[in-house]
Amino acid sequence: MRRRDESDAPQSPAKPEFFAEVNDGRVTLTFHFRSGAQITYFITKSGTTVTGSTT
């Protein structure tokens, strides 16, 4: 079983400039795909740390 490298991880289309404008706290993003599928993704910013999850 191969280990998943960082380069294999999904990448956010958000640029650093986006996060510079986001206040500390939780932000909800909804990604819409051409297939019609949608994924809701939550990011939490605290200072210079940004984490994300689907829950």
Side-chain angles (χ1 to χ4, degrees):
M1 197 162 148
R2 147 175 128 78
R3 182 174 173 232
R4 184 174 160 158
D5 294 328
E6 286 287 324
S7 61
D8 292 340
Q11 300 295 309
S12 168
K15 305 286 185 211
E17 295 82 7
F18 168 79
F19 294 107
E21 296 295 323
V22 172
N23 294 326
D24 282 2
R26 189 172 184 181
V27 176
T28 303
L29 304 174
T30 302
F31 294 95
H32 300 261
F33 297 92
R34 285 184 254 190
S35 67
Q38 294 182 19
I39 294 177
T40 300
Y41 192 73
F42 304 98
I43 60 168
T44 303
K45 180 181 176 193
S46 178
T48 59
T49 302
V50 177
T51 57
S53 70
T54 56
T55 58

